[in-house]
Amino acid sequence: MDFTFPWSSLLGGMLLGVSAFILLLFNGKIAGISGILSGLVKPIKNDFLWRGLFLIGMMLGGILGRDAFGAHIPSEFSIPTWLVVIAGLLVGIGTKIGNGCTSGHGICGMGRLSYRSIVATCVFMVVAVVTTYVHLHVLN
Amino acid sequence: MTYFIALAAGLLFGLGMAVSGMVDPNNVIGFLDITGNWLPDLAFVMGGGLLVFLPCFLLIIKPRSKPIFAESFSLSHLKSIDKKLVMGAAIFGLGWGIAGLCPGPVASSLLAGNVDVIYFFLAMMAGFALVDFTQKS
């Protein structure tokens, strides 16, 4: 294992923390991406536009990171499209049932020391590690 | 003003996703593959996020009765660890482990010219709608 200190990961993570902080401090909203996006599916009056603007900001922020800061965004994935679709469906269903994803539970929820979020984060981490193990070392 | 904050917070979030390396599923799978050639880097993403958010929440937000530009904080008041939480997190972990993609990096990569990102995004939105639909009826 080669280890060089991952400054870019730390800096990127801190930007997520700053984003979550200002969204909660000014608007009272949690920067949980699955929660913000799932609210676009069933629009509620006065609760739609900010979600759309957050999404547009994210899309532009990703491109800014690529073009101005040299971040690598892959132009294709190593798994077939049908598997990408199944994964997307599972992520949508799971985060909706479990009320959160890596950002909502992992950063905002754990950052509020929410017991539910700590449990959820442990569960999805363990399941993802086991899934990766089976995918890479058992099926291949 | 809340709309400007939403746009700015989204921009910072997307930038953080790109700079941190979360937008590359190879990094994510490398992080999850703890028995293989483990890449620990992404632990610093959640670490960095918590390093900023946790003290800011406890010292600045928690003492406040309401946000600066809104009437109230939209925070979950659920307390119990129920079957839904655990089942949902497990299903999410399965999907995350299959592709190395979660909602934040996908939304931040939508303009990057990878059509599979758009398929993932649409499938995820369909997943939200499916749960919405079945939970109502």
Side-chain angles (χ1 to χ4, degrees), chain A residues 83-94:
Chain A
L83 203 50
V84 170
V85 169
I86 289 176
L89 205 54
L90 289 170
V91 167
I93 293 169

Side-chain angles (χ1 to χ4, degrees), chain A residues 6 9 13 19 21 24-29 53-54 57-59 62 71-72 75 81 88 90 92 94-95 102 116 124 127-128 133 137, chain B residues 2 6-7 9-11 18 20 24 33 35 44-45 49 56 67-69 73-74 80 88-90 93 102 104 107-108 114 116 124 128:
Chain A
S9 296
S19 166
F21 171 57
L24 190 58
L25 176 68
F26 289 103
N27 292 8
K29 301 293 184 187
L53 287 168
F54 190 92
M58 283 183 88
M59 290 159 64
H72 173 64
S75 54
T81 299
L90 289 170
T95 54
T102 345
R116 270 172 60 88
F124 66 65
V127 173
Y133 178 78
H137 304 293
Chain B
T2 57
L7 185 67
L11 192 80
S20 68
D24 187 345
D33 185 21
T35 65
F44 289 83
V45 181
C56 287
I68 293 174
F69 295 137
F73 288 110
S74 309
S80 66
C102 58
S108 307
N114 178 352
D116 277 348
M124 179 176 74
F128 296 148

Side-chain angles (χ1 to χ4, degrees), chain A residues 22-23 27 50 53, chain B residues 1-11 69:
Chain A
I22 65 168
L23 192 67
N27 292 8
W50 78 270
L53 287 168
Chain B
M1 200 57 198
T2 57
Y3 292 129
F4 172 75
I5 295 290
L7 185 67
L11 192 80
F69 295 137

Side-chain angles (χ1 to χ4, degrees), chain B residues 8-42:
Chain B
L11 192 80
L12 284 174
F13 207 96
L15 185 62
M17 281 290 164
V19 169
S20 68
M22 283 291 291
V23 287
D24 187 345
N26 287 330
N27 292 340
V28 177
I29 298 297
F31 171 69
L32 295 172
D33 185 21
I34 55 173
T35 65
N37 186 20
W38 188 48
L39 302 173
D41 293 20
L42 294 193

Side-chain angles (χ1 to χ4, degrees), chain B residues 33-109:
Chain B
D33 185 21
I34 55 173
T35 65
N37 186 20
W38 188 48
L39 302 173
D41 293 20
L42 294 193
F44 289 83
V45 181
M46 190 178 280
L50 288 172
L51 193 68
V52 172
F53 187 78
L54 198 143
C56 287
F57 177 79
L58 293 178
L59 298 175
I60 301 170
I61 294 179
K62 211 175 174 196
R64 297 184 64 91
S65 57
K66 68 193 203 69
I68 293 174
F69 295 137
E71 284 311 305
S72 62
F73 288 110
S74 309
L75 296 172
S76 168
H77 297 293
L78 300 172
K79 288 269 182 281
S80 66
I81 308 299
D82 53 10
K83 213 169 81 184
K84 266 184 66 183
L85 179 80
V86 175
M87 281 287 296
I91 295 169
F92 166 49
L94 180 64
W96 190 35
I98 289 174
L101 296 164
C102 58
V106 166
S108 307
S109 308

